[in-house]
Amino acid sequence: MSSHHESILREPLITGENITYTKITNDILVPVENKANKAWWIGFTISALGALLWVVAVGYTFWTGIGAWGLNKTVGWAWDITGFVWWVGIGHAGTLISAILLLFRQNWRNSINRSAEAMTIFAVICAATYVVSHMGRPWLAYWPLPLPNQFGSLWVNFNSPLVWDVFAISTYFSVSLVFWYTGLLPDIATVRDRATGLRRRIYSIMSFGWNGSVKTWQRFEAVSLILAGVSTPLVLSVHTIVSMDFATSLVPGWHTTIFPPYFVAGAIFSGFAMVQTLLLVTRKVMNFENYITMFHIESMNKIIILTGSIVGVAYLTELFIAWYSGVEYEQYAFLNRVSGPYWWAYWSMMTCNVISPQLFWLKKVRTSIAASWILSIVVNIGMWFERFVIIVTSLHRDYLPSSWVMFYPSIIDVCVFIGSIGLFFTMFLLFLRVLPAIAMAEVKLLLKSSSDQSKQKLIRDKKVDPEQAEAYLQSLEKYDSVIPKPEYAKI
Amino acid sequence: MGTHDNHTHNFTQEFEFTGKAKTWSLIAIVVGVLAIAFGLYTNAERTFANLLLMSYYFTCVCAAGLFFICLQYVAQAGWSAGLLRIPEAFAKVLPIASVILIIVAASGLLTHNLYHHWHQEGITEVGNPNYDPIIAGKASYLNMPFFLTRMVLLLGIYSIFARVITKFSNNEDLEGGLSSYKKNFKFAIIFLIIFGFTTPLWAFDTIMSLEAHWFSTMFGWYNFAAMWVSGLCTITLTVILLKKSGYMTWINENHLHDLGKFIFAFSIFWTYVWFSQFLLIYYANIPEETVYFYKRWEPAYKPWFWVNIVINFLAPILILMTRDSKRQMNTLMFVCIMLLCGHWLDYYMMIMPGTVAEHRGFGIIEIGTALGFAGLFTFLMLTQLSKKSLVSSNHPFLQESLHHHI
């Protein structure tokens, strides 16, 4: 909770001069209330072409069957599941930011939760498309559900983690959607109040009659906290169960007990990287620099080093225990990963996930927008390789050396993947145009306590310790969005 | 809350270590020494298992104190600034705890009362009746000199950080300003990296190698979870007992609420790692791995196997679910004591099946050793606590902590 006793050492969550509640609304609604600019149209055209590629590639898969992919007898699960896990992982940051950071009372979440949650929903949709397209017969997609049926004693296998996955992900998707939409209500109402004509009618229906009374706000706060409590175990359960798709098996390299928390950490890692990738561009193109500040960027980078290092501990533990176990198959699985025909995939994973994020220990790198953006993409590449390494290197050399093969993706595999990225960006860009990308109501809560202007006022009024004030002013040097230095010289 | 609250607190107040606390902790130490002496005379192996359990538990709680401090620095937490002196006292005891753990492990090894699964005459020699090919395969890691070197090195590094970080916190009292805070921030980061990367090894060595054939990648994080929950409970319990004796008036139900939330959350985290380890081994049903749980499902242990889950998961989750229970001192105190007993049982379930197996017991040796170490911890920790004021009054986030309200 924002407090009147917030230490001056805390960096500002809102920068800029003469920020008022109205100005926040005006700034954030610019993309929603005006015609799109050129940058948006360029981005949208490219993404929509990508989405079209996805439609063609998946359509082709449905028409010809799964044989269109590069799978073979030994490697029956490769590119598709890699893409699925990659997207589900990315879909973790939104709920983490909205739920766990809310429970921890981390106010900096207020500026980034909205777009992170939207991103989560789109990422989970992309993941779901992989599941459906791998079914080959999407009209039978209801089969994993335990529905009463006329097929005799046919029933889902409740012992299978794949069925757990169906429940975990669909529940996660539903709750994330509810959480996101609940948070949107006051902001949609704001858009409604400023709109006219048909737009007003549409936003009016979408706002569920939000009237901004004290009672609605009270209910809003209560429901947010309850949903945060519900989503926290949920978000952790999703990747836990995804990891069990592998870890419950007997396949060396898949069956290891550290998988659940290690997958969760990896998911948060990739999710934050994707949030970083999207927001660094969004804040620039949409002029949100005052609301998504250097503090937000740096904090996300810190979470990226933390989770990257947790993943690093897990990699090393796996390697060490594979040797320590004395089990020949386990030892070979890891030797094959490190030095087998897929060594380049393993070392790409290690470099992108564990080694390069360590650059964020340097404050210069952590607070450089270009470096943050590049590293966030490097992490996304690394996390894709992680899933590829786990899945393909463990399968392609199984217990029977006569069936050892390599996996090569077909052109369709590659098109489905590129297409899914297009689909994701199409949805995200549409979101930016129709809904406020920053939770206006929640950012406004911080204006009085955590904005640069309120802190500057405290310093001017000499209400804070001068040494701490000095430290605060120093911390502003890295900001790209604060007023130039001479202004401070007056203090 | 108004600012006038500040005037009613006495920030220079120091804890006086006298009276009942001192007498009882000394009595507990004496009881412990007698019980250990009795145990060594009657059943040395069982006594060593208990000594390992308690010295590991003792070291873990002290290390958790240091981890708590570092976490608060790195996360720039404000709420906890008023209670940091308690984990600091834990951290100051860490060097002594480490020495005791090293002595127990080394003498256990030398007398073949501990770790004899991998430390035996001829175990790595082909042709020797004791030869064990699996142990021979890992002998380059599991051998006495390297084992002890690792232990000394890891605990030594942790202890040095404990010394440095508490020293700068002391300097902050004397000099004021931000320089000590900034230094500790840096040391805290370095410690957390080292600790994060090495605790799994510490757990693999000290506990997992008792059953040297068995392996589980989760074991390190499982031990970390147990350490963290028991550390949080000990911190909370100390705060509550000090408050009950009239100290630390600036700590109120809001701080207890946060500590309670931590205990609640990390009890669930402990269960999460415990259950993940169990489920995956149970499900895959590979003999090399299931042997661990097979031993724990023998009649001597099976009831306790389930009690472990009830006491460390079901009880805290049900009791601490509501907001009020976390804000009531007595409820929280009950949960802390229960969880400290619960994690003793957790360590018992980790250690005993691999050492004394079906000859396990619960009697003078167990109770006496536990009491002795509890007394030793209390005595050493309170002695350290009494050396400084109970709050670091120059901590930059102290005002946030004093006005913490949730």
Side-chain angles (χ1 to χ4, degrees), chain A residues 5 7 10 159 161 240 250 255-258 260-261 324 361 467, chain B residues 76 138 177-178 189 216-218 272 280 283-284 289 400 403:
Chain A
H5 298 280
S7 166
R10 301 214 181 271
N159 290 339
T240 297
L250 297 178
H255 174 71
T256 178
T257 50
I258 207 170
Y324 177 92
W361 288 115
E467 191 190 357
Chain B
Q76 286 174 294
K138 36 187 126 180
L178 280 177
I189 294 172
S216 165
T217 39
M218 183 73 105
Y272 171 63
L280 291 175
Y283 195 114
E289 294 182 355
E400 282 190 13
H403 296 94

PDB file of all heavy atoms in Angstrom, chain A residues 5 7 10 159 161 240 250 255-258 260-261 324 361 467, chain B residues 76 138 177-178 189 216-218 272 280 283-284 289 400 403:
ATOM      1  N   HIS A   5       4.618   7.442   4.567  1.00  0.00           N
ATOM      2  CA  HIS A   5       5.956   7.370   5.138  1.00  0.00           C
ATOM      3  C   HIS A   5       6.920   6.663   4.209  1.00  0.00           C
ATOM      4  O   HIS A   5       7.933   6.155   4.642  1.00  0.00           O
ATOM      5  CB  HIS A   5       5.890   6.669   6.488  1.00  0.00           C
ATOM      6  CG  HIS A   5       5.052   7.416   7.460  1.00  0.00           C
ATOM      7  ND1 HIS A   5       5.522   8.503   8.146  1.00  0.00           N
ATOM      8  CD2 HIS A   5       3.762   7.280   7.803  1.00  0.00           C
ATOM      9  CE1 HIS A   5       4.548   8.985   8.904  1.00  0.00           C
ATOM     10  NE2 HIS A   5       3.469   8.269   8.708  1.00  0.00           N
ATOM     11  N   SER A   7       9.863   5.827   2.079  1.00  0.00           N
ATOM     12  CA  SER A   7      11.215   6.367   2.162  1.00  0.00           C
ATOM     13  C   SER A   7      11.558   7.129   0.888  1.00  0.00           C
ATOM     14  O   SER A   7      11.178   6.725  -0.213  1.00  0.00           O
ATOM     15  CB  SER A   7      12.198   5.225   2.368  1.00  0.00           C
ATOM     16  OG  SER A   7      13.493   5.689   2.129  1.00  0.00           O
ATOM     17  N   ARG A  10      13.208   5.342  -2.176  1.00  0.00           N
ATOM     18  CA  ARG A  10      12.497   4.577  -3.204  1.00  0.00           C
ATOM     19  C   ARG A  10      12.386   5.393  -4.481  1.00  0.00           C
ATOM     20  O   ARG A  10      11.989   6.560  -4.440  1.00  0.00           O
ATOM     21  CB  ARG A  10      11.109   4.188  -2.715  1.00  0.00           C
ATOM     22  CG  ARG A  10      11.167   3.358  -1.453  1.00  0.00           C
ATOM     23  CD  ARG A  10      10.072   2.338  -1.379  1.00  0.00           C
ATOM     24  NE  ARG A  10      10.178   1.596  -0.143  1.00  0.00           N
ATOM     25  CZ  ARG A  10      10.889   0.482   0.010  1.00  0.00           C
ATOM     26  NH1 ARG A  10      11.545  -0.010  -1.023  1.00  0.00           N
ATOM     27  NH2 ARG A  10      10.951  -0.125   1.171  1.00  0.00           N
ATOM     28  N   ASN A 159      -4.900 -40.740 -14.853  1.00  0.00           N
ATOM     29  CA  ASN A 159      -3.525 -40.874 -14.373  1.00  0.00           C
ATOM     30  C   ASN A 159      -2.525 -40.140 -15.248  1.00  0.00           C
ATOM     31  O   ASN A 159      -1.345 -40.107 -14.929  1.00  0.00           O
ATOM     32  CB  ASN A 159      -3.123 -42.349 -14.350  1.00  0.00           C
ATOM     33  CG  ASN A 159      -3.852 -43.088 -13.265  1.00  0.00           C
ATOM     34  OD1 ASN A 159      -4.335 -42.480 -12.327  1.00  0.00           O
ATOM     35  ND2 ASN A 159      -3.945 -44.393 -13.405  1.00  0.00           N
ATOM     36  N   PRO A 161      -0.591 -37.122 -16.918  1.00  0.00           N
ATOM     37  CA  PRO A 161      -0.343 -35.680 -16.698  1.00  0.00           C
ATOM     38  C   PRO A 161      -0.851 -34.832 -17.858  1.00  0.00           C
ATOM     39  O   PRO A 161      -1.093 -33.647 -17.687  1.00  0.00           O
ATOM     40  CB  PRO A 161       1.167 -35.574 -16.565  1.00  0.00           C
ATOM     41  CG  PRO A 161       1.727 -36.902 -16.853  1.00  0.00           C
ATOM     42  CD  PRO A 161       0.639 -37.903 -16.895  1.00  0.00           C
ATOM     43  N   THR A 240       4.156 -26.496 -13.253  1.00  0.00           N
ATOM     44  CA  THR A 240       4.456 -27.723 -12.521  1.00  0.00           C
ATOM     45  C   THR A 240       3.907 -28.910 -13.292  1.00  0.00           C
ATOM     46  O   THR A 240       4.596 -29.913 -13.516  1.00  0.00           O
ATOM     47  CB  THR A 240       3.798 -27.648 -11.139  1.00  0.00           C
ATOM     48  OG1 THR A 240       4.382 -26.570 -10.430  1.00  0.00           O
ATOM     49  CG2 THR A 240       3.979 -28.927 -10.369  1.00  0.00           C
ATOM     50  N   LEU A 250       9.756 -42.343 -17.860  1.00  0.00           N
ATOM     51  CA  LEU A 250      10.997 -43.045 -17.501  1.00  0.00           C
ATOM     52  C   LEU A 250      12.147 -42.601 -18.396  1.00  0.00           C
ATOM     53  O   LEU A 250      13.190 -43.223 -18.422  1.00  0.00           O
ATOM     54  CB  LEU A 250      10.802 -44.556 -17.653  1.00  0.00           C
ATOM     55  CG  LEU A 250       9.744 -45.163 -16.739  1.00  0.00           C
ATOM     56  CD1 LEU A 250       9.606 -46.647 -17.015  1.00  0.00           C
ATOM     57  CD2 LEU A 250      10.104 -44.944 -15.285  1.00  0.00           C
ATOM     58  N   HIS A 255      13.021 -37.594 -16.539  1.00  0.00           N
ATOM     59  CA  HIS A 255      12.591 -37.984 -15.207  1.00  0.00           C
ATOM     60  C   HIS A 255      13.585 -37.476 -14.174  1.00  0.00           C
ATOM     61  O   HIS A 255      14.609 -38.097 -13.927  1.00  0.00           O
ATOM     62  CB  HIS A 255      12.465 -39.500 -15.105  1.00  0.00           C
ATOM     63  CG  HIS A 255      12.167 -39.928 -13.713  1.00  0.00           C
ATOM     64  ND1 HIS A 255      10.949 -39.700 -13.133  1.00  0.00           N
ATOM     65  CD2 HIS A 255      12.927 -40.498 -12.761  1.00  0.00           C
ATOM     66  CE1 HIS A 255      10.980 -40.119 -11.890  1.00  0.00           C
ATOM     67  NE2 HIS A 255      12.173 -40.611 -11.630  1.00  0.00           N
ATOM     68  N   THR A 256      13.280 -36.337 -13.596  1.00  0.00           N
ATOM     69  CA  THR A 256      14.133 -35.837 -12.530  1.00  0.00           C
ATOM     70  C   THR A 256      13.258 -34.991 -11.617  1.00  0.00           C
ATOM     71  O   THR A 256      12.359 -34.295 -12.084  1.00  0.00           O
ATOM     72  CB  THR A 256      15.347 -35.073 -13.108  1.00  0.00           C
ATOM     73  OG1 THR A 256      16.109 -34.569 -12.030  1.00  0.00           O
ATOM     74  CG2 THR A 256      14.945 -33.946 -14.008  1.00  0.00           C
ATOM     75  N   THR A 257      13.517 -35.078 -10.300  1.00  0.00           N
ATOM     76  CA  THR A 257      12.540 -34.511  -9.368  1.00  0.00           C
ATOM     77  C   THR A 257      12.555 -32.993  -9.318  1.00  0.00           C
ATOM     78  O   THR A 257      11.597 -32.385  -8.856  1.00  0.00           O
ATOM     79  CB  THR A 257      12.801 -35.056  -7.943  1.00  0.00           C
ATOM     80  OG1 THR A 257      14.178 -34.880  -7.646  1.00  0.00           O
ATOM     81  CG2 THR A 257      12.424 -36.507  -7.841  1.00  0.00           C
ATOM     82  N   ILE A 258      13.619 -32.363  -9.788  1.00  0.00           N
ATOM     83  CA  ILE A 258      13.691 -30.909  -9.680  1.00  0.00           C
ATOM     84  C   ILE A 258      12.806 -30.220 -10.729  1.00  0.00           C
ATOM     85  O   ILE A 258      12.576 -29.014 -10.664  1.00  0.00           O
ATOM     86  CB  ILE A 258      15.154 -30.426  -9.819  1.00  0.00           C
ATOM     87  CG1 ILE A 258      15.348 -29.109  -9.071  1.00  0.00           C
ATOM     88  CG2 ILE A 258      15.565 -30.302 -11.258  1.00  0.00           C
ATOM     89  CD1 ILE A 258      16.796 -28.688  -8.953  1.00  0.00           C
ATOM     90  N   PRO A 260       9.584 -29.707 -11.479  1.00  0.00           N
ATOM     91  CA  PRO A 260       8.485 -28.745 -11.249  1.00  0.00           C
ATOM     92  C   PRO A 260       8.943 -27.323 -10.892  1.00  0.00           C
ATOM     93  O   PRO A 260       8.616 -26.387 -11.628  1.00  0.00           O
ATOM     94  CB  PRO A 260       7.666 -29.406 -10.148  1.00  0.00           C
ATOM     95  CG  PRO A 260       7.942 -30.858 -10.326  1.00  0.00           C
ATOM     96  CD  PRO A 260       9.358 -30.950 -10.755  1.00  0.00           C
ATOM     97  N   PRO A 261       9.729 -27.120  -9.821  1.00  0.00           N
ATOM     98  CA  PRO A 261      10.096 -25.731  -9.530  1.00  0.00           C
ATOM     99  C   PRO A 261      11.023 -25.126 -10.585  1.00  0.00           C
ATOM    100  O   PRO A 261      10.992 -23.921 -10.832  1.00  0.00           O
ATOM    101  CB  PRO A 261      10.807 -25.808  -8.179  1.00  0.00           C
ATOM    102  CG  PRO A 261      11.183 -27.211  -7.996  1.00  0.00           C
ATOM    103  CD  PRO A 261      10.230 -28.035  -8.783  1.00  0.00           C
ATOM    104  N   TYR A 324      26.383 -38.115 -10.533  1.00  0.00           N
ATOM    105  CA  TYR A 324      26.408 -38.667  -9.178  1.00  0.00           C
ATOM    106  C   TYR A 324      25.546 -39.917  -9.082  1.00  0.00           C
ATOM    107  O   TYR A 324      25.856 -40.826  -8.321  1.00  0.00           O
ATOM    108  CB  TYR A 324      25.913 -37.575  -8.225  1.00  0.00           C
ATOM    109  CG  TYR A 324      25.790 -37.954  -6.770  1.00  0.00           C
ATOM    110  CD1 TYR A 324      26.843 -37.750  -5.880  1.00  0.00           C
ATOM    111  CD2 TYR A 324      24.600 -38.475  -6.270  1.00  0.00           C
ATOM    112  CE1 TYR A 324      26.709 -38.075  -4.541  1.00  0.00           C
ATOM    113  CE2 TYR A 324      24.468 -38.802  -4.930  1.00  0.00           C
ATOM    114  CZ  TYR A 324      25.518 -38.600  -4.074  1.00  0.00           C
ATOM    115  OH  TYR A 324      25.393 -38.918  -2.744  1.00  0.00           O
ATOM    116  N   TRP A 361      24.042  -7.946 -14.087  1.00  0.00           N
ATOM    117  CA  TRP A 361      24.648  -7.538 -12.814  1.00  0.00           C
ATOM    118  C   TRP A 361      25.239  -6.145 -12.949  1.00  0.00           C
ATOM    119  O   TRP A 361      25.397  -5.440 -11.965  1.00  0.00           O
ATOM    120  CB  TRP A 361      25.742  -8.508 -12.378  1.00  0.00           C
ATOM    121  CG  TRP A 361      25.203  -9.816 -11.909  1.00  0.00           C
ATOM    122  CD1 TRP A 361      25.391 -11.033 -12.506  1.00  0.00           C
ATOM    123  CD2 TRP A 361      24.382 -10.066 -10.775  1.00  0.00           C
ATOM    124  NE1 TRP A 361      24.730 -12.009 -11.809  1.00  0.00           N
ATOM    125  CE2 TRP A 361      24.113 -11.450 -10.747  1.00  0.00           C
ATOM    126  CE3 TRP A 361      23.842  -9.259  -9.769  1.00  0.00           C
ATOM    127  CZ2 TRP A 361      23.324 -12.041  -9.748  1.00  0.00           C
ATOM    128  CZ3 TRP A 361      23.067  -9.838  -8.785  1.00  0.00           C
ATOM    129  CH2 TRP A 361      22.811 -11.208  -8.779  1.00  0.00           C
ATOM    130  N   GLU A 467      21.033  13.530   3.067  1.00  0.00           N
ATOM    131  CA  GLU A 467      21.868  12.498   2.442  1.00  0.00           C
ATOM    132  C   GLU A 467      21.020  11.534   1.625  1.00  0.00           C
ATOM    133  O   GLU A 467      21.387  11.119   0.527  1.00  0.00           O
ATOM    134  CB  GLU A 467      22.653  11.733   3.517  1.00  0.00           C
ATOM    135  CG  GLU A 467      23.714  10.845   2.890  1.00  0.00           C
ATOM    136  CD  GLU A 467      24.353   9.885   3.879  1.00  0.00           C
ATOM    137  OE1 GLU A 467      24.010   9.953   5.073  1.00  0.00           O
ATOM    138  OE2 GLU A 467      25.174   9.068   3.444  1.00  0.00           O
TER     139      GLU A 467
ATOM    140  N   GLN B  76      14.992  -4.595  -0.840  1.00  0.00           N
ATOM    141  CA  GLN B  76      14.709  -3.250  -0.328  1.00  0.00           C
ATOM    142  C   GLN B  76      13.421  -3.250   0.488  1.00  0.00           C
ATOM    143  O   GLN B  76      12.568  -2.372   0.328  1.00  0.00           O
ATOM    144  CB  GLN B  76      14.607  -2.245  -1.465  1.00  0.00           C
ATOM    145  CG  GLN B  76      15.958  -1.912  -2.048  1.00  0.00           C
ATOM    146  CD  GLN B  76      15.838  -1.024  -3.258  1.00  0.00           C
ATOM    147  OE1 GLN B  76      15.305  -1.444  -4.276  1.00  0.00           O
ATOM    148  NE2 GLN B  76      16.316   0.194  -3.156  1.00  0.00           N
ATOM    149  N   LYS B 138      31.302 -42.819  -7.537  1.00  0.00           N
ATOM    150  CA  LYS B 138      31.242 -41.430  -7.074  1.00  0.00           C
ATOM    151  C   LYS B 138      32.301 -41.120  -6.036  1.00  0.00           C
ATOM    152  O   LYS B 138      32.217 -40.108  -5.339  1.00  0.00           O
ATOM    153  CB  LYS B 138      29.847 -41.065  -6.569  1.00  0.00           C
ATOM    154  CG  LYS B 138      29.071 -42.130  -5.849  1.00  0.00           C
ATOM    155  CD  LYS B 138      27.633 -41.647  -5.571  1.00  0.00           C
ATOM    156  CE  LYS B 138      26.599 -42.616  -6.088  1.00  0.00           C
ATOM    157  NZ  LYS B 138      25.228 -42.234  -5.861  1.00  0.00           N
ATOM    158  N   GLY B 177      24.133   7.564   8.517  1.00  0.00           N
ATOM    159  CA  GLY B 177      24.392   7.715   7.088  1.00  0.00           C
ATOM    160  C   GLY B 177      24.020   6.480   6.296  1.00  0.00           C
ATOM    161  O   GLY B 177      23.523   5.503   6.842  1.00  0.00           O
ATOM    162  N   LEU B 178      24.307   6.580   5.004  1.00  0.00           N
ATOM    163  CA  LEU B 178      23.872   5.501   4.110  1.00  0.00           C
ATOM    164  C   LEU B 178      24.984   4.546   3.733  1.00  0.00           C
ATOM    165  O   LEU B 178      24.735   3.541   3.086  1.00  0.00           O
ATOM    166  CB  LEU B 178      23.310   6.111   2.824  1.00  0.00           C
ATOM    167  CG  LEU B 178      21.876   6.631   2.881  1.00  0.00           C
ATOM    168  CD1 LEU B 178      21.512   7.261   1.555  1.00  0.00           C
ATOM    169  CD2 LEU B 178      20.918   5.492   3.186  1.00  0.00           C
ATOM    170  N   ILE B 189      23.918  -9.160  -1.800  1.00  0.00           N
ATOM    171  CA  ILE B 189      23.769  -9.746  -3.140  1.00  0.00           C
ATOM    172  C   ILE B 189      24.783 -10.873  -3.327  1.00  0.00           C
ATOM    173  O   ILE B 189      24.437 -11.971  -3.746  1.00  0.00           O
ATOM    174  CB  ILE B 189      23.985  -8.674  -4.226  1.00  0.00           C
ATOM    175  CG1 ILE B 189      22.881  -7.636  -4.163  1.00  0.00           C
ATOM    176  CG2 ILE B 189      24.034  -9.308  -5.601  1.00  0.00           C
ATOM    177  CD1 ILE B 189      23.133  -6.446  -5.065  1.00  0.00           C
ATOM    178  N   SER B 216      18.402 -37.452  -5.729  1.00  0.00           N
ATOM    179  CA  SER B 216      17.219 -36.723  -6.168  1.00  0.00           C
ATOM    180  C   SER B 216      17.632 -35.284  -6.381  1.00  0.00           C
ATOM    181  O   SER B 216      18.187 -34.646  -5.489  1.00  0.00           O
ATOM    182  CB  SER B 216      16.127 -36.814  -5.098  1.00  0.00           C
ATOM    183  OG  SER B 216      15.135 -35.842  -5.342  1.00  0.00           O
ATOM    184  N   THR B 217      17.362 -34.772  -7.581  1.00  0.00           N
ATOM    185  CA  THR B 217      17.787 -33.399  -7.877  1.00  0.00           C
ATOM    186  C   THR B 217      17.062 -32.386  -6.991  1.00  0.00           C
ATOM    187  O   THR B 217      17.549 -31.305  -6.744  1.00  0.00           O
ATOM    188  CB  THR B 217      17.518 -33.046  -9.350  1.00  0.00           C
ATOM    189  OG1 THR B 217      16.271 -33.608  -9.728  1.00  0.00           O
ATOM    190  CG2 THR B 217      18.605 -33.573 -10.249  1.00  0.00           C
ATOM    191  N   MET B 218      15.860 -32.763  -6.530  1.00  0.00           N
ATOM    192  CA  MET B 218      15.080 -31.828  -5.731  1.00  0.00           C
ATOM    193  C   MET B 218      15.618 -31.691  -4.313  1.00  0.00           C
ATOM    194  O   MET B 218      15.279 -30.752  -3.605  1.00  0.00           O
ATOM    195  CB  MET B 218      13.630 -32.313  -5.673  1.00  0.00           C
ATOM    196  CG  MET B 218      12.697 -31.398  -4.938  1.00  0.00           C
ATOM    197  SD  MET B 218      12.359 -29.942  -5.879  1.00  0.00           S
ATOM    198  CE  MET B 218      10.709 -30.324  -6.409  1.00  0.00           C
ATOM    199  N   TYR B 272       5.151 -28.232  -1.487  1.00  0.00           N
ATOM    200  CA  TYR B 272       5.252 -28.318  -2.947  1.00  0.00           C
ATOM    201  C   TYR B 272       6.493 -29.114  -3.364  1.00  0.00           C
ATOM    202  O   TYR B 272       6.398 -30.037  -4.163  1.00  0.00           O
ATOM    203  CB  TYR B 272       5.286 -26.894  -3.499  1.00  0.00           C
ATOM    204  CG  TYR B 272       5.596 -26.768  -4.963  1.00  0.00           C
ATOM    205  CD1 TYR B 272       4.755 -27.302  -5.924  1.00  0.00           C
ATOM    206  CD2 TYR B 272       6.734 -26.096  -5.390  1.00  0.00           C
ATOM    207  CE1 TYR B 272       5.040 -27.163  -7.264  1.00  0.00           C
ATOM    208  CE2 TYR B 272       7.018 -25.951  -6.722  1.00  0.00           C
ATOM    209  CZ  TYR B 272       6.174 -26.497  -7.666  1.00  0.00           C
ATOM    210  OH  TYR B 272       6.480 -26.364  -8.988  1.00  0.00           O
ATOM    211  N   LEU B 280       6.879 -37.709  -8.182  1.00  0.00           N
ATOM    212  CA  LEU B 280       7.609 -38.112  -9.381  1.00  0.00           C
ATOM    213  C   LEU B 280       8.310 -39.446  -9.180  1.00  0.00           C
ATOM    214  O   LEU B 280       8.380 -40.262 -10.096  1.00  0.00           O
ATOM    215  CB  LEU B 280       8.600 -37.020  -9.783  1.00  0.00           C
ATOM    216  CG  LEU B 280       7.917 -35.753 -10.289  1.00  0.00           C
ATOM    217  CD1 LEU B 280       8.929 -34.669 -10.564  1.00  0.00           C
ATOM    218  CD2 LEU B 280       7.112 -36.043 -11.549  1.00  0.00           C
ATOM    219  N   TYR B 283       5.502 -42.145  -9.042  1.00  0.00           N
ATOM    220  CA  TYR B 283       4.863 -42.358 -10.337  1.00  0.00           C
ATOM    221  C   TYR B 283       5.767 -43.161 -11.275  1.00  0.00           C
ATOM    222  O   TYR B 283       5.326 -44.102 -11.920  1.00  0.00           O
ATOM    223  CB  TYR B 283       4.551 -40.987 -10.944  1.00  0.00           C
ATOM    224  CG  TYR B 283       3.576 -40.980 -12.100  1.00  0.00           C
ATOM    225  CD1 TYR B 283       2.333 -40.375 -11.968  1.00  0.00           C
ATOM    226  CD2 TYR B 283       3.910 -41.531 -13.326  1.00  0.00           C
ATOM    227  CE1 TYR B 283       1.447 -40.338 -13.018  1.00  0.00           C
ATOM    228  CE2 TYR B 283       3.021 -41.505 -14.384  1.00  0.00           C
ATOM    229  CZ  TYR B 283       1.792 -40.908 -14.230  1.00  0.00           C
ATOM    230  OH  TYR B 283       0.916 -40.875 -15.275  1.00  0.00           O
ATOM    231  N   ALA B 284       7.056 -42.764 -11.324  1.00  0.00           N
ATOM    232  CA  ALA B 284       7.957 -43.447 -12.251  1.00  0.00           C
ATOM    233  C   ALA B 284       8.320 -44.831 -11.742  1.00  0.00           C
ATOM    234  O   ALA B 284       8.583 -45.742 -12.525  1.00  0.00           O
ATOM    235  CB  ALA B 284       9.219 -42.621 -12.469  1.00  0.00           C
ATOM    236  N   GLU B 289      15.273 -45.271  -7.166  1.00  0.00           N
ATOM    237  CA  GLU B 289      14.742 -44.077  -6.510  1.00  0.00           C
ATOM    238  C   GLU B 289      13.717 -44.415  -5.439  1.00  0.00           C
ATOM    239  O   GLU B 289      13.692 -43.805  -4.389  1.00  0.00           O
ATOM    240  CB  GLU B 289      14.081 -43.166  -7.558  1.00  0.00           C
ATOM    241  CG  GLU B 289      15.071 -42.600  -8.536  1.00  0.00           C
ATOM    242  CD  GLU B 289      14.408 -41.676  -9.527  1.00  0.00           C
ATOM    243  OE1 GLU B 289      13.158 -41.565  -9.504  1.00  0.00           O
ATOM    244  OE2 GLU B 289      15.118 -41.059 -10.314  1.00  0.00           O
ATOM    245  N   GLU B 400       9.522   3.454   7.541  1.00  0.00           N
ATOM    246  CA  GLU B 400       8.523   2.631   6.843  1.00  0.00           C
ATOM    247  C   GLU B 400       8.098   1.464   7.723  1.00  0.00           C
ATOM    248  O   GLU B 400       6.926   1.097   7.763  1.00  0.00           O
ATOM    249  CB  GLU B 400       9.095   2.082   5.531  1.00  0.00           C
ATOM    250  CG  GLU B 400       9.113   3.091   4.426  1.00  0.00           C
ATOM    251  CD  GLU B 400       9.444   2.472   3.070  1.00  0.00           C
ATOM    252  OE1 GLU B 400       9.429   1.244   2.934  1.00  0.00           O
ATOM    253  OE2 GLU B 400       9.717   3.248   2.140  1.00  0.00           O
ATOM    254  N   HIS B 403       5.760   2.538  10.549  1.00  0.00           N
ATOM    255  CA  HIS B 403       4.409   2.880  10.111  1.00  0.00           C
ATOM    256  C   HIS B 403       3.821   1.821   9.208  1.00  0.00           C
ATOM    257  O   HIS B 403       2.922   2.090   8.427  1.00  0.00           O
ATOM    258  CB  HIS B 403       4.421   4.234   9.394  1.00  0.00           C
ATOM    259  CG  HIS B 403       4.827   5.337  10.302  1.00  0.00           C
ATOM    260  ND1 HIS B 403       6.118   5.766  10.405  1.00  0.00           N
ATOM    261  CD2 HIS B 403       4.119   6.055  11.190  1.00  0.00           C
ATOM    262  CE1 HIS B 403       6.194   6.724  11.312  1.00  0.00           C
ATOM    263  NE2 HIS B 403       4.988   6.914  11.798  1.00  0.00           N
TER     264      HIS B 403
END
